[in-house]
Amino acid sequence: MKQFKCRASQIGKLLTNGRSKNEMGETAKSYIKEWYITQLTGKQKDIKSKYLDRGNAMEEKAIDRVAKYYNCDLEKNEIQLENDFFTGTFDTKTIDRVIDTKVPFDAFTFPFFDNVIDKDYYAQLQIYMHLTGLKKASLCYCLENGSQEQIEKLLWHIEDPDIKDWEEAERQLSYDHLPDNLRIKVFEFDYDETFIENAIQRVIDAREYLETIKIN
């Protein structure tokens, strides 16, 4: 069985505490057990949601929006990075900054009023910085128009929708009337070496915990 390494997107789970700061939390234990089951069975836990599907469908649009924001060319990253403790596939990057994009489901889940970064996304990007060697990161929320799947769901009750029906569905799911500054929200922050040291220790703790739950 291969050695446990934490995925960047799951590091927030591993950092949860129990009753004391030094005690592993139940969320962390559950994540470690899921990883172990995957190693035993070769099966991945199937996670599906309308939010995840939308994010995947509109990712390229979001990267284009971020490129415009930073006035540079950006490409979608497809390479998974890995070191002794972590794995991860970041969305895109500039010369000095790693970038992760998030596409909220609609305007009501877009963080218009948030001033503090989500702690799990912050943790994820810290790992991406560690894996890439970059010292700056950006979490970018992008308010994109409805995906093809969302548009089709608006028309499910119409037996044979015509061009006007499609145009109305697209209009309902469009944010093109908004200025650019209302369609992107960016959180920028720097590499935190102390955070990484703590995360590495949690991976070491996870490996020790695995030894106590192994099935003979």
Side-chain angles (χ1 to χ4, degrees):
M1 181 177 296
K2 68 180 182 180
Q3 192 174 49
F4 173 78
K5 297 180 182 181
C6 187
R7 289 170 52 199
S9 61
Q10 302 300 309
I11 189 63
K13 295 179 180 178
L14 201 62
L15 294 172
T16 59
N17 296 323
R19 294 183 179 180
S20 69
K21 185 177 180 181
N22 296 322
E23 181 183 0
M24 184 178 292
E26 293 303 315
T27 300
K29 291 179 180 178
S30 294
Y31 168 56
I32 296 165
K33 289 175 180 177
E34 288 174 7
W35 179 91
Y36 184 43
I37 291 171
T38 294
Q39 306 311 305
L40 286 175
T41 66
K43 306 297 183 183
Q44 294 282 347
K45 186 173 182 180
D46 189 21
I47 301 176
K48 292 182 179 180
S49 76
K50 62 182 183 179
Y51 304 103
L52 184 61
D53 290 344
R54 170 160 166 75
N56 291 335
M58 306 306 292
E59 188 175 43
E60 289 188 9
K61 293 284 188 182
I63 290 176
D64 288 344
R65 187 172 301 281
V66 175
K68 183 178 180 181
Y69 179 87
Y70 281 111
N71 191 28
C72 67
D73 294 327
L74 294 175
E75 294 183 359
K76 166 65 179 170
N77 171 58
E78 302 289 353
I79 300 173
Q80 183 181 55
L81 302 180
E82 183 174 359
N83 64 14
D84 291 340
F85 300 99
F86 310 109
T87 67
T89 308
F90 62 91
D91 285 346
T92 188
K93 67 180 179 68
T94 64
I95 295 175
D96 64 347
R97 181 181 301 276
V98 64
I99 298 170
D100 201 46
T101 61
K102 304 296 180 186
V103 181
F105 189 73
D106 56 25
F108 298 96
T109 55
F110 187 83
F112 285 111
F113 308 107
D114 291 1
N115 296 314
V116 178
I117 188 172
D118 179 278
K119 62 182 181 62
D120 289 336
Y121 293 153
Y122 173 86
Q124 181 178 358
L125 276 155
Q126 285 292 339
I127 301 302
Y128 288 154
M129 282 190 280
H130 182 63
L131 289 170
T132 60
L134 299 176
K135 303 302 181 183
K136 296 181 180 295
S138 294
L139 172 65
C140 303
Y141 292 90
C142 299
L143 185 57
E144 301 301 332
N145 294 343
S147 66
Q148 186 67 25
E149 181 180 6
Q150 287 178 295
I151 293 171
E152 290 174 357
K153 284 184 177 179
L154 277 184
L155 299 171
W156 69 269
H157 61 289
I158 301 176
E159 183 174 347
D160 187 20
D162 59 23
I163 186 64
K164 290 184 178 180
D165 295 321
W166 282 99
E167 289 176 347
E168 175 58 22
E170 289 177 353
R171 186 194 66 77
Q172 289 187 39
L173 296 174
S174 173
Y175 299 103
D176 288 343
H177 60 291
L178 296 177
D180 288 342
N181 67 298
L182 290 181
R183 298 186 66 177
I184 187 169
K185 181 147 189 175
V186 179
F187 293 90
E188 298 180 337
F189 51 97
D190 297 329
Y191 182 71
D192 185 342
E193 188 171 349
T194 300
F195 178 94
I196 294 299
E197 290 173 355
N198 182 47
I200 289 174
Q201 183 58 53
R202 289 305 181 96
V203 172
I204 294 171
D205 294 342
R207 291 170 180 171
E208 293 176 355
Y209 177 68
L210 276 166
E211 293 298 320
T212 71
I213 63 172
K214 279 187 175 179
I215 301 171
N216 297 323

